């Protein structure tokens, strides 16, 4: 059961609007979880997901406080304009920001009028900050988690869908853990969590999933940065979920390193309904993987691809193709590797176009090579700008990104986009046999993964 806590008679009831601008097509857990905490304390909470609905102007005008959920770079960039609109609608409302990107950009957010920038285990911080200003704070306390309250969010049918074998499924989203025990240099989780992670009690996770299944979900996305940070905890949840809802499928995100270390658990994933595993490969160049402190090698990725294929699972690798260490030949080797493994249809085309993003507080800034190419922090863009030592590689990155964006808008198949990207990078024809599987055979979400 979810732990209950009595509402203090000393807490003044406030009208609060919680705002999400973008959350990868999911019904935002980052609204539902704090909503449960705040409603428990007696506050009136309106959840506004601007990826689905317009900003609720009337509720904003009447609000005592407005909180912005900032889990990633794109969400934060979008929130900057919304903060200005909220200030015009209601100059007296207190503004708060919470999520990974809030404390990382606390100074800039305060310049925009935000009172408190909260990160880590933010629910209790948010509740306390409503009653007294908190400035910039990160909390790692182990929280007595509440079941997220999704009652005022748009229905699941309005969010990203799972496509598999021609059928379309509503998708639940939850997290069995937060943070990560690893210290990958490029990851935005690291500056906040510093190698720590926190598990969410299984009964809370399962209660959240039950509610979303009742709302029509037949598939679950576990959004943990790494589902195998706590493999025993993860397996307990999966076995309970499958025992109660044997027809419900799911997907998870797991590091290459953990897929190898816990390879004995991969058959359990298949048996309990896992459709695909997302894994952050980032590069097939061992030198770049070492710079990013990824904890795996090219050979490890190739081995994992084979293990997953043998089990009949789908692997969905993600990449950062363009870094200060990328060469044109290295980029072509990435394309050759993807084609050779038969993974062209598994990969969202934007994964072939991403350029290394260096947010505030990034461990990448520890590297002398990064400091040499870094050209300054762009506060409005929320990132450190950098130039590749070879201007032709930067030109290739821009060309590939433009090509991918244009082709996706036109609805091109992934295989055709891959061929076009190859032709942009090489004067040779693409590898043979890269069209191994029809697109319909690969389960995928209709919201492209981004950041």
């Amino acid at each position: 059961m979810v732990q209950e806590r009595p509402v203090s008679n000393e807490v003044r009831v406030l009208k609060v609007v919680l705002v999400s601008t973008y959350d990868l097509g999911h019904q935002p857990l980052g609204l539902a979880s704090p909503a449960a905490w705040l409603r428990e304390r007696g506050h009136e909470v309106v959840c506004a997901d601007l990826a689905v609905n317009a900003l609720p102007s009337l509720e904003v005008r009447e609000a005592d406080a407005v909180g912005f959920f900032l889990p990633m770079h794109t969400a934060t960039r979008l929130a900057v304009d919304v903060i200005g609109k909220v200030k015009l609608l209601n100059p007296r409302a207190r503004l708060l920001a919470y999520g990974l990107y809030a404390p990382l950009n606390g100074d800039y957010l305060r310049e925009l009028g935000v009172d408190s920038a909260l990160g880590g285990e933010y629910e209790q911080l948010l509740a306390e900050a409503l009653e007294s200003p908190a400035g910039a704070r990160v909390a790692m306390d182990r929280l007595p988690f509440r079941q997220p309250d999704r009652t005022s969010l748009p229905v699941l049918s309005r969010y990203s869908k799972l496509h598999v074998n021609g059928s379309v499924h509503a998708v639940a989203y939850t997290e069995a853990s937060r943070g990560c025990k690893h210290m990958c240099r490029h990851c935005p989780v690291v500056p906040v969590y510093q190698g720590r992670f926190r598990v969410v009690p299984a009964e809370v996770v399962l209660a959240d999933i039950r509610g979303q299944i009742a709302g029509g979900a037949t598939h679950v996305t576990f959004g943990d940065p790494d589902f195998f940070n706590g493999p025993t905890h993860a397996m307990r949840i999966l076995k309970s979920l499958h025992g109660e809802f044997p027809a419900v499928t799911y997907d998870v995100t797991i590091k290459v390193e953990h897929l190898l270390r816990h390879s004995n658990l991969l058959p359990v994933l298949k048996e309990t309904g896992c459709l695909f595993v997302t894994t952050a490969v980032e590069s097939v160049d061992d030198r770049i993987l070492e710079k990013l402190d990824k904890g795996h090698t090219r050979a490890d990725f190739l081995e994992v691809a084979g293990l997953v294929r043998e089990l009949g699972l789908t692997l969905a690798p993600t990449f950062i193709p363009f870094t200060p260490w990328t060469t044109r030949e290295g980029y072509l080797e990435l394309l050759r590797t993807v084609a050779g493994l038969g993974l062209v249809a598994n990969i969202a085309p934007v994964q072939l176009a991403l350029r290394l993003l260096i947010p505030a507080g990034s461990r990448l800034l520890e590297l002398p090579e990064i400091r040499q190419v870094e050209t300054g922090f762009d506060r409005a863009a929320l990132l450190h700008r950098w130039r590749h030592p070879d201007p032709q590689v930067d030109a290739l990155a821009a060309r590939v990104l433009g090509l991918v964006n244009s082709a996706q808008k036109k609805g091109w198949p992934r295989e055709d986009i891959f061929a076009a990207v190859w032709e942009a990078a090489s004067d040779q024809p693409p590898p043979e046999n890269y069209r191994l599987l029809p697109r319909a055979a690969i389960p995928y979400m209709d919201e492209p993964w981004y950041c």
Side-chain angles (χ1 to χ4, degrees):
M1 296 294 291
V2 179
Q3 181 175 341
E4 298 292 340
R5 185 175 66 176
V7 177
S8 168
N9 291 328
E10 298 177 0
V11 175
R12 182 171 71 89
V13 173
L14 301 173
K15 293 183 178 180
V16 183
V17 176
L18 299 179
V19 177
S20 172
T21 56
Y22 178 65
D23 198 16
L24 298 171
H26 307 134
Q27 189 189 66
L29 178 61
L31 298 188
S33 183
W37 281 73
L38 299 180
R39 287 169 180 153
E40 183 182 283
R41 295 171 75 94
H43 299 308
E44 299 177 17
V45 181
V46 171
C47 293
D49 184 0
L50 306 191
V52 175
N53 292 324
L55 184 70
S57 299
L58 177 61
E59 287 82 356
V60 168
R61 287 191 181 97
E62 296 177 346
D64 297 297
V66 179
F68 297 89
F69 175 47
L70 308 180
M72 66 194 77
H73 183 260
T74 300
T76 310
R77 289 286 303 274
L78 292 172
V80 168
D81 287 340
V82 182
I83 289 170
K85 294 176 183 176
V86 167
K87 288 176 65 178
L88 289 174
L89 287 169
N90 186 349
R92 67 175 182 81
R94 291 194 50 220
L95 306 183
L96 306 96
Y98 62 97
L100 279 179
Y101 268 74
L104 295 183
N105 298 283
D107 290 343
Y108 180 56
L109 291 168
R110 279 190 291 277
E111 288 181 11
L112 297 176
V114 172
D115 297 307
S116 302
L118 313 169
E121 305 302 277
Y122 53 72
E123 284 89 347
Q124 186 164 309
L125 284 181
L126 184 60
E128 293 171 352
L130 287 174
E131 293 143 25
S132 61
R137 291 185 58 193
V138 173
M140 288 295 129
D141 299 338
R142 297 181 185 276
L143 296 181
F145 285 97
R146 278 76 171 149
Q147 178 183 343
D149 186 345
R150 300 176 179 271
T151 53
S152 63
L153 285 166
V155 295
L156 288 176
S157 61
R158 300 192 64 190
Y159 289 92
S160 178
K161 310 291 193 310
L162 170 75
H163 294 250
V164 56
N165 290 324
S167 61
V168 181
H169 302 263
V171 178
Y173 177 88
T174 195
E175 296 171 4
S177 64
R178 295 173 167 185
C180 186
K181 62 172 65 172
H182 298 274
M183 296 285 285
C184 304
R185 279 198 176 94
H186 61 296
C187 179
V189 175
V190 171
V192 174
Y193 277 87
Q194 295 291 325
R196 293 165 290 188
F197 84 107
R198 296 285 182 262
V199 300
V200 182
E203 62 270 21
V204 175
V205 178
L206 291 167
D208 187 29
I209 294 172
R210 285 188 200 102
Q212 294 180 79
I213 290 174
T218 56
H219 179 87
V220 180
T221 289
F222 288 96
D224 311 42
D226 191 320
F227 195 64
F228 274 2
N229 267 325
T232 301
H233 173 65
M235 289 298 104
R236 185 181 302 119
I237 289 173
L238 293 183
K239 289 176 181 178
S240 296
L241 173 62
H242 187 64
E244 189 172 351
F245 302 102
V248 169
T249 57
Y250 65 89
D251 67 90
V252 292
T253 297
I254 303 174
K255 281 173 64 71
V256 170
E257 174 184 353
H258 284 170
L259 289 169
L260 282 180
R261 183 180 303 165
H262 304 294
S263 59
N264 62 307
L265 299 179
L266 299 187
V268 181
L269 296 184
K270 177 65 176 178
E271 293 161 6
T272 55
C274 183
L275 285 187
F276 63 93
V277 178
T278 300
T279 190
V281 179
E282 316 301 32
S283 177
V284 296
D285 183 323
D286 283 337
R287 183 175 63 105
I288 296 175
L289 290 170
E290 184 178 357
K291 296 293 185 184
L292 299 180
D293 201 6
K294 280 300 300 178
H296 71 259
T297 64
R298 171 194 173 93
D300 292 336
F301 166 49
L302 298 182
E303 183 176 354
V304 162
L307 287 172
V308 172
R309 186 188 311 112
E310 288 173 10
L311 286 169
L313 287 169
T314 294
L315 193 68
T318 63
F319 298 100
I320 307 174
F322 294 102
T323 74
W325 307 282
T326 299
T327 63
R328 180 180 290 271
E329 178 55 34
Y331 184 67
L332 282 171
E333 179 56 27
L334 170 63
L335 299 182
R336 278 193 290 265
T337 302
V338 166
L341 292 172
L343 293 173
V344 170
N346 299 47
I347 297 170
V350 72
Q351 293 299 324
L352 303 176
L354 293 178
R355 194 171 185 271
L356 182 66
L357 188 151
I358 308 177
S362 174
R363 282 194 65 218
L364 287 165
L365 298 168
E366 299 170 358
L367 299 176
E369 306 99 296
I370 293 293
R371 294 196 296 272
Q372 289 169 6
V373 299
E374 191 259 350
T375 60
F377 187 72
D378 186 333
R379 290 166 71 86
L382 308 174
L383 51 77
H384 290 267
R385 299 285 185 184
W386 62 272
R387 292 194 186 97
H388 196 283
D390 181 353
Q392 291 187 356
V393 175
D394 272 343
L396 175 62
R399 188 158 64 251
V400 169
L401 181 60
L403 188 159
V404 168
N405 286 339
S406 175
Q408 285 187 316
K409 289 177 182 176
K410 295 174 182 176
W412 287 19
R414 288 182 175 183
E415 295 86 350
D416 290 351
I417 298 177
F418 178 86
V421 168
W422 177 274
E423 291 170 4
S426 172
D427 55 5
Q428 300 296 317
E432 297 181 0
N433 300 323
Y434 68 92
R435 299 175 184 268
L436 294 179
L437 287 173
R439 183 71 189 94
I442 307 296
Y444 68 100
M445 305 295 295
D446 58 16
E447 174 77 12
W449 183 92
Y450 210 60
C451 62

